[in-house]
């Protein structure tokens, strides 16, 4: 049978390789296997790859495209973006893709660093999404993040250093927002939070922007709760709105 291959951590870190081919024998990539690399523009994936750890492709900042063997039964592509086979898990979007991208309905989870350093200005998120993993949109050029009802978890550093981000909607269904999820989003001007009761969040969840210039919008009747809630009370302007009305 074919030789089974797996890569550990930082195997190709800083490698000057424009095209990286993962042969049919490569079955597993550990977290950060490909390291931080600006040179690689194309990744060819063979038939055997089925297990991909966190951040494997996220730090390939110059990546323009994936080529996936049509005989790979484990992975799939949608408009150039890498998913698992049934498209429930979005794994990686090449940073070089530009314009807009619509994540397909049925996607449940966005992987760590999936849109790291992404040039997409607009990303539409499906109603089926339940979890966004760490650094998924970190340092991306996304301008607006309208997170859907049904979303339950936002991990740490999800939008860290996304300095094009100006507006965020947090749904009423959110159950957990991890530390630094919205940290260092310097241009952030508006957060629309749909929860009637403030969610307990870490001190560093929001930061690196001017709390006097970013308006927090909350449901009607929730102003006092947010004004008295740890972290949320840092916002100098808290206004009420009906959901869906800016």
């Amino acid at each position: 049978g074919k030789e089974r291959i797996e890569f550990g951590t930082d195997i190709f870190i800083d490698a000057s390789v424009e095209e990286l081919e993962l042969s049919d024998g490569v079955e597993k990539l550990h977290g950060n296997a490909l390291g931080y690399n600006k040179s690689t523009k194309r990744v060819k994936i063979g038939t055997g790859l089925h297990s991909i750890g966190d951040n494997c492709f996220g730090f390939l900042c110059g990546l323009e495209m994936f080529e996936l063997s049509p005989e790979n039964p484990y992975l799939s592509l949608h408009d150039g973006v890498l998913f698992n086979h049934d498209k429930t898990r979005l794994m990686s979007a090449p940073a070089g893709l530009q314009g807009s991208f619509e994540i397909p309905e049925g996607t449940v989870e966005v992987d760590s660093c999936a849109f790291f350093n992404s040039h997409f200005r607009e990303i539409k998120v499906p109603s089926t999404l339940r979890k966004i993993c760490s650094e998924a949109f970190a340092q991306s050029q996304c301008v607006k993040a309208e997170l859907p009802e049904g979303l339950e978890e936002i991990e740490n550093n999800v939008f860290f250093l996304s300095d094009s981000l100006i507006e965020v909607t947090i749904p009423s269904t959110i159950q957990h927002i991890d530390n630094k999820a919205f940290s260092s989003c310097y241009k952030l001007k508006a957060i629309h939070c749909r929860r009637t009761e403030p969610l307990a969040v870490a001190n560093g969840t929001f930061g690196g922007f001017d709390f006097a210039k970013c308006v927090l919008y909350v449901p009607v009747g929730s102003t006092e709760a947010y004004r008295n809630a740890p972290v949320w009370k840092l916002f100098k302007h808290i206004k009420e709105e009906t959901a869906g009305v800016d």
Side-chain angles (χ1 to χ4, degrees):
K2 67 183 180 183
E3 180 184 6
R4 295 182 178 181
I5 303 170
E6 63 179 83
F7 288 131
T9 301
D10 291 340
I11 296 298
F12 296 101
I13 191 166
D14 292 329
S16 298
V17 179
E18 286 199 7
E19 182 174 289
L20 177 62
E21 183 170 359
L22 304 175
S23 67
D24 292 344
V26 178
E27 296 185 349
K28 185 174 184 178
L29 298 175
H30 289 270
N32 294 313
L34 305 182
Y36 183 83
N37 187 332
K38 293 183 178 180
S39 299
T40 302
K41 298 184 181 300
R42 182 193 307 257
V43 173
K44 293 183 176 181
I45 300 173
T47 60
L49 186 62
H50 61 83
S51 178
I52 300 175
D54 288 346
N55 301 359
C56 277
F57 301 113
F59 294 138
L60 299 182
C61 298
L63 187 62
E64 295 177 354
M65 69 178 297
F66 290 108
E67 284 188 16
L68 178 65
S69 169
E71 297 179 5
N72 185 305
Y74 312 109
L75 306 175
S76 62
L77 290 176
H78 178 86
D79 291 341
V81 174
L82 188 67
F83 287 78
N84 64 346
H85 182 70
D86 62 5
K87 293 185 174 66
T88 57
R89 175 185 167 204
L90 191 158
M91 305 173 83
S92 184
L97 295 179
Q98 300 186 24
S100 63
F101 179 74
E102 184 170 354
I103 301 175
E105 286 291 329
T107 304
V108 176
E109 181 174 319
V110 175
D111 268 8
S112 296
C113 292
F115 290 94
F116 183 86
N117 201 41
S118 172
H119 287 70
F120 284 131
R121 300 286 288 175
E122 180 182 10
I123 301 173
K124 296 181 180 179
V125 183
S127 62
T128 52
L129 192 66
R130 296 295 176 265
K131 181 179 180 180
I132 305 177
C133 297
S134 61
E135 299 182 80
F137 297 93
Q139 298 186 43
S140 72
Q141 294 186 14
C142 184
V143 174
K144 183 177 180 180
E146 189 166 349
L147 304 179
E149 290 297 315
L151 181 66
E152 298 172 353
E153 184 175 359
I154 300 172
E155 290 190 345
N156 63 290
N157 294 300
V158 162
F159 290 97
F160 179 70
L161 273 175
S162 293
D163 56 10
S164 294
L165 190 66
I166 60 173
E167 186 174 3
V168 171
T169 298
I170 300 173
S172 65
T173 53
I174 199 72
Q175 298 299 314
H176 180 75
I177 302 176
D178 213 338
N179 196 31
K180 296 185 178 179
F182 299 98
S183 180
S184 300
C185 299
Y186 303 115
K187 295 181 181 178
L188 197 57
K189 299 299 182 185
I191 297 176
H192 305 268
C193 189
R194 305 305 190 201
R195 281 183 59 102
T196 55
E197 293 295 326
L199 185 69
V201 296
N203 289 335
T205 300
F206 304 99
F209 58 83
D210 192 340
F211 284 97
K213 294 182 178 179
C214 181
V215 179
L216 176 62
Y217 294 91
V218 301
V220 174
S222 299
T223 300
E224 286 305 309
Y226 278 89
R227 281 178 177 165
N228 292 303
V231 182
W232 299 99
K233 65 183 180 182
L234 295 173
F235 289 90
K236 304 304 182 184
H237 303 286
I238 301 177
K239 299 182 179 181
E240 295 186 354
E241 68 174 357
T242 303
V245 178
D246 294 338

